[in-house]
Amino acid sequence: MDTDAKPTRGSLGDRWSRRRFLGAATAVTAVAAVPAPVTSRSAPTAPREAPVSSPPSRPAGPRPLYIGTYTSMRGGGRGIGLAAYDPRTGRISGKGTLTGVPDPSYLAVHPNGRTLYAVDERQDGTVTAVRLPGHEILGSRSTGGAGPCHVSVHPSGRWLLSANFASGSVAVHPIKASGALGERTALVTHSSPPPGPGQQGPHAHQFLTAPDGRHVLAVDLGTDTVYTYRLDQSRGTLTEVSRARTRPGAGPRHLTFHPGGRFAYLANELDNTAVVCAYDPASGRLTLGEPQSTGGGRGTNYPAQFAVTRDGAYAYLANRGHNTVTRYGIEARGARLRLLDSVPVGGDFPRHLALSPDGGLLFTANQRSSTVSVFHVDHGSGELRSAIEPFASPVAVCALPL
C-alpha cells in the first residue's frame, strides 16, 4: 500500500515496484486547535452530538488476528499470518500461516464474519476469498488492473470493492452466498484529471463505501482526487457523481468516515497533511477543508491512514516516517479535529492501524521492523498505552483484528 513518495518515471511495472518497496528501506505531547473544514453554502449541516456511551464489554477468550504481508519481498511472509489476541491484555499468539495467497498486502472481512478477502498485490492483480474459520481458499478473481492495494466489503455483504494502485483503477466483484467471488461487474480507470506533480499516472489507493451505502469513494494519490460513484446495488455497476480535488501534490491516500456520516478524515501522504471533509449523503459530494498537521513533524512522514472510535470521539493517524500514532479529539459533531498528542509505536514504518471491534485495543502493522504493536485505548480520554512488546511478523503491512 505504500505509494510513490517521490517523482516516478519509467514503465508501469517500475512505478509499481517503487511503490511496493518504499517501506522496505531499512514521544511528543502537543495540543493544537484545528480549524473546521471550509465548506460551501450547500455543505451539509452537522448532526446532533452522539450521546456518551459506556465502555463496551470485551469478549472473553482469544480473538482472531490476520496479518497481511508481501510474499515476494526479501524477508517477507509465506502468506496470510494467522494469530490470536487476548482482548483484555492485547497479547498476541502466532497460529501459523495460510499459504497459497501471494502478496496479501491488504485484508478485509465480510460483515457476517465468515469470509476473509485479500488483495494479491501483483502485476496481474487478483482478489482472493478465504472461508472462516476453517481457512479454506474459495478462489481468486482478476481485478482487471495492476498492483491492487486496498479491498473493502460493501455493508450489504453483496459487493467487493478493490483499488488497483499501479493502473489507477477501481473494480467491483459480486459476492456469492458462499462468500466466494463472481466475475467482475465494474472496472473504472481514472483517466482525468491529469496526474499531480511528480506523478506519471493515476494511482487508486482506496475504495470504500460511504455510510449512506449508496455511494462508494475512490481515493487516488496520482490525480490528487477523491472520486464519488453511485453503486447500482442490483447490477454492481458504477456511475461517477462528483470529484473532490486536493491541492496539487498532496497525494491523498486514505479516507475514514465519522460514524455520524456527515464528515470524514483524509490522510495526504505526499504533503504530510490531514484534512477534515464534509460529506453530503444525498449527493455523495465530498467538500475538503484546510490541510492541517499530522503531528508527525515536518519533512518526510508519509501519513498512512486514520481510524475513528465507534463513538466518534477520537481519531488516530499512523505516521510512518515519524513512527508514531497521532491522537485527535473530534469536536463540533465531527467537523473539527484537535491534535492531542503523538505516541511512538515501538516499531518502524507503521503502515496500517486498526481498532479491535470492541474499541479497547489499537493495532499497528510496522513494515520495516516486521512487527505488530498493540495499545490499550482509554475509553474516556482516548489515550493510548502500550499493551505488550511488539509481536514479530514478517514484513507486517496489515493487521486485521476480528
Side-chain angles (χ1 to χ4, degrees), residues 24-25 30 43 66 74 89 133 135 149 151 189 247 251 257 271 282 292 306 366 368 384:
Y66 296 95
R74 182 177 180 181
T89 67
H135 304 135
C149 65
V151 65
T189 300
R247 62 185 184 185
F257 277 90
D271 73 354
Q292 57 195 59
F306 274 102
N366 310 313
R368 291 179 181 169
L384 300 178

Side-chain angles (χ1 to χ4, degrees), residues 19-81:
R19 189 208 72 77
R20 292 186 67 215
F21 292 101
L22 170 63
T26 302
V28 174
T29 302
V31 177
V34 177
V38 176
T39 60
S40 65
R41 292 184 179 179
S42 61
T45 56
R48 294 187 303 169
E49 294 278 6
V52 177
S53 59
S54 58
S57 59
R58 296 188 177 181
R63 297 291 302 161
L65 175 69
Y66 296 95
I67 304 172
T69 184
Y70 285 120
T71 58
S72 61
M73 179 182 289
R74 182 177 180 181
R78 296 184 298 112
I80 299 173

Side-chain angles (χ1 to χ4, degrees), residues 120-196:
D120 306 332
E121 191 176 331
R122 296 197 163 188
Q123 185 68 24
D124 296 323
T126 59
V127 280
T128 296
V130 179
R131 178 173 289 140
L132 301 179
H135 304 135
E136 175 192 356
I137 296 177
L138 300 177
S140 302
R141 296 284 185 177
S142 170
T143 62
C149 65
H150 185 268
V151 65
S152 65
V153 184
H154 188 271
S156 67
R158 296 182 56 201
W159 306 103
L160 189 76
L161 313 175
S162 58
N164 294 307
F165 178 87
S167 52
S169 58
V170 292
V172 181
H173 287 82
I175 298 175
K176 302 177 182 180
S178 64
L181 299 171
E183 289 290 345
R184 190 176 62 245
T185 56
L187 178 66
V188 177
T189 300
H190 300 149
S191 57
S192 66

Side-chain angles (χ1 to χ4, degrees), residues 6 45 67 107 120 206 213 217 250 268 280 321 366 382-383:
K6 298 180 181 179
T45 56
I67 304 172
L107 310 171
D120 306 332
Q206 185 192 23
L217 289 86
N268 289 325
D280 179 11
N366 310 313
E383 291 182 348

Side-chain angles (χ1 to χ4, degrees), residues 93-346:
S93 303
K95 301 295 182 181
T97 304
L98 174 62
T99 60
V101 185
D103 291 318
S105 65
Y106 203 90
L107 310 171
V109 70
H110 193 280
N112 64 20
R114 295 198 290 268
T115 312
L116 179 72
Y117 299 97
V119 297
D120 306 332
E121 191 176 331
R122 296 197 163 188
Q123 185 68 24
D124 296 323
T126 59
V127 280
T128 296
V130 179
R131 178 173 289 140
L132 301 179
H135 304 135
E136 175 192 356
I137 296 177
L138 300 177
S140 302
R141 296 284 185 177
S142 170
T143 62
C149 65
H150 185 268
V151 65
S152 65
V153 184
H154 188 271
S156 67
R158 296 182 56 201
W159 306 103
L160 189 76
L161 313 175
S162 58
N164 294 307
F165 178 87
S167 52
S169 58
V170 292
V172 181
H173 287 82
I175 298 175
K176 302 177 182 180
S178 64
L181 299 171
E183 289 290 345
R184 190 176 62 245
T185 56
L187 178 66
V188 177
T189 300
H190 300 149
S191 57
S192 66
Q199 303 299 314
Q200 302 302 306
H203 293 311
H205 212 298
Q206 185 192 23
F207 199 22
L208 76 160
T209 307
D212 59 78
R214 299 185 304 276
H215 298 100
V216 291
L217 289 86
V219 181
D220 196 299
L221 180 146
T223 62
D224 293 322
T225 301
V226 181
Y227 303 81
T228 299
Y229 298 95
R230 185 180 301 109
L231 173 67
D232 185 315
Q233 295 188 46
S234 62
R235 299 183 299 163
T237 56
L238 300 172
T239 303
E240 184 179 326
V241 295
S242 70
R243 298 179 183 182
R245 304 264 336 248
T246 68
R247 62 185 184 185
R253 174 186 175 93
H254 190 273
L255 185 77
T256 300
F257 277 90
H258 184 272
R262 296 298 185 103
F263 296 94
Y265 312 109
L266 181 66
N268 289 325
E269 174 176 332
L270 300 185
D271 73 354
N272 188 23
T273 61
V275 174
V276 179
C277 310
Y279 177 72
D280 179 11
S283 66
R285 182 175 299 278
L286 196 70
T287 304
L288 275 58
E290 293 296 322
Q292 57 195 59
S293 173
T294 62
R298 295 183 177 181
T300 303
N301 182 45
Y302 309 130
Q305 72 172 85
F306 274 102
V308 178
T309 56
R310 64 181 184 179
D311 63 1
Y314 298 96
Y316 303 97
L317 177 63
N319 292 302
R320 289 174 292 170
H322 201 228
N323 288 330
T324 58
V325 173
T326 291
R327 175 176 62 113
Y328 296 92
I330 299 178
E331 301 177 338
R333 304 182 181 94
R336 189 163 60 244
L337 293 177
R338 183 164 67 94
L339 197 155
L340 299 175
D341 58 18
S342 295
V343 178
V345 298

